[in-house]
Amino acid sequence: MFTSTNSEMIPAPAPRYPVSYQPAGYAMSSSTPGISGPYPNPISTYAANPSGVITSQIAPAFGTSLPHPTSGQFPQQLNTHVGVSSPYPAMTPNMGISPNMAIVPGAMGRASDKGNAYRRTYTHAKPPYSYISLITMALQSCPNKMMTLSEVYQWIMDLFPFYRANQQRWQNSIRHSLSFNDCFVKVPRSPDKPGKGSYWSLHPDAGNMFENGCYLRRQKRFKCEKKAAIKAAAQEA
DNA sequence: ACGTGTTTATCCCGCT
DNA sequence: AGCGGGATAAACACGT
């Protein structure tokens, strides 16, 4: 799919987005030895012209894979000796199975796993990221750092098969997160780009909420003082 | 009608 | 136990 590393022109599938943005390519990497996580690797975005031809590759904001959910480190920082495509450090044979991993029948695994009837995979497990971090990653992956609600949904579903089910439940949570958390701000559509819903972006003062920390839980919730003051005044009246 | 956005409520969990 | 952050449910308003 979108896994080519050279710069030749690659015909893209029918663009889902009118803007010059395509979501991450998918690389299930069944040939990758060791852990074959369901997460795409690399996570890259591509600019495509209106006819759907990719014109350039945009450097991914989050490196070539997703950050480790608790250390914030990327796989290549954690592990350089195997081609790990999941956001976790590589497993060694005696590490056991992490609680976040699902075990599915149909072994592949690395050579040392031969005889093991199971393949380690995250495919059906809930990704270990909070909705806030998922939204943040989605927004940061986009060249202009803003997305519509439906683009956020699509980004999450493209990357995490888990979220292709029970959409009503988690999408409600996404809307709640966007609206409730001051770190996300609505950006009105420009008149030349009519459509449904606003764009969402990260509050400029929110900083990098997950930079050195945990992708499950922020150290502290970002609160916009101005917004709080307006809210307090409204309740006073 | 449906998607989007806001708000309130409740539960859970980890931390102090 | 109290608190804060997050997940989920649900009611409601609004615009297309």
Side-chain angles (χ1 to χ4, degrees):
Chain A
M1 262 178 159
F2 288 98
T3 53
S4 173
T5 50
N6 61 33
S7 57
E8 68 187 281
M9 297 284 274
I10 312 159
R16 261 175 308 196
Y17 304 97
V19 292
S20 59
Y21 167 68
Q22 288 286 325
Y26 226 76
M28 286 296 287
S29 64
S30 58
S31 60
T32 304
I35 300 167
S36 56
Y39 301 136
N41 183 23
I43 292 170
S44 304
T45 50
Y46 297 83
N49 67 23
S51 55
V53 175
I54 291 173
T55 53
S56 64
Q57 182 177 352
I58 296 146
F62 271 77
T64 55
S65 195
L66 294 171
H68 186 280
T70 55
S71 73
Q73 290 184 294
F74 292 92
Q76 61 270 36
Q77 297 170 269
L78 292 157
N79 188 319
T80 54
H81 64 281
V82 287
V84 178
S85 58
S86 83
Y88 301 90
M91 304 281 287
T92 57
N94 57 358
M95 277 174 78
I97 301 293
S98 125
N100 286 315
M101 298 174 83
I103 304 174
V104 297
M108 286 244 4
R110 71 182 86 164
S112 60
D113 288 343
K114 272 215 173 106
N116 182 345
Y118 296 93
R119 176 166 57 106
R120 293 177 182 128
T121 173
Y122 303 98
T123 303
H124 302 293
K126 183 170 181 166
Y129 301 98
S130 68
Y131 290 124
I132 293 168
S133 64
L134 287 175
I135 295 166
T136 301
M137 287 189 272
L139 297 178
Q140 293 198 336
S141 78
C142 185
N144 52 7
K145 310 296 179 199
M146 58 171 84
M147 273 184 181
T148 61
L149 178 65
S150 61
E151 285 170 342
V152 173
Y153 291 160
Q154 195 60 55
W155 187 92
I156 292 171
M157 286 189 288
D158 281 345
L159 261 71
F160 302 102
F162 175 86
Y163 289 113
R164 292 171 198 164
N166 295 314
Q167 294 179 24
Q168 191 207 325
R169 188 156 48 159
W170 67 265
Q171 290 183 351
N172 186 13
S173 296
I174 291 290
R175 290 195 303 277
H176 171 262
S177 287
L178 284 168
S179 185
F180 180 76
N181 292 286
D182 290 356
C183 56
F184 304 122
V185 290
K186 264 194 306 182
V187 179
R189 281 178 178 272
S190 57
D192 57 310
K193 278 186 187 168
K196 216 166 188 184
S198 307
Y199 282 93
W200 288 94
S201 69
L202 290 160
H203 194 292
D205 299 335
N208 195 339
M209 298 179 287
F210 302 104
E211 194 167 36
N212 298 310
C214 175
Y215 281 77
L216 287 168
R217 198 180 159 99
R218 294 171 292 178
Q219 297 93 326
K220 189 152 176 63
R221 178 180 282 168
F222 169 74
K223 274 283 149 200
C224 178
E225 299 301 332
K226 261 188 216 162
K227 209 171 162 181
I230 291 165
K231 204 171 175 181
Q235 285 191 334
E236 201 80 14

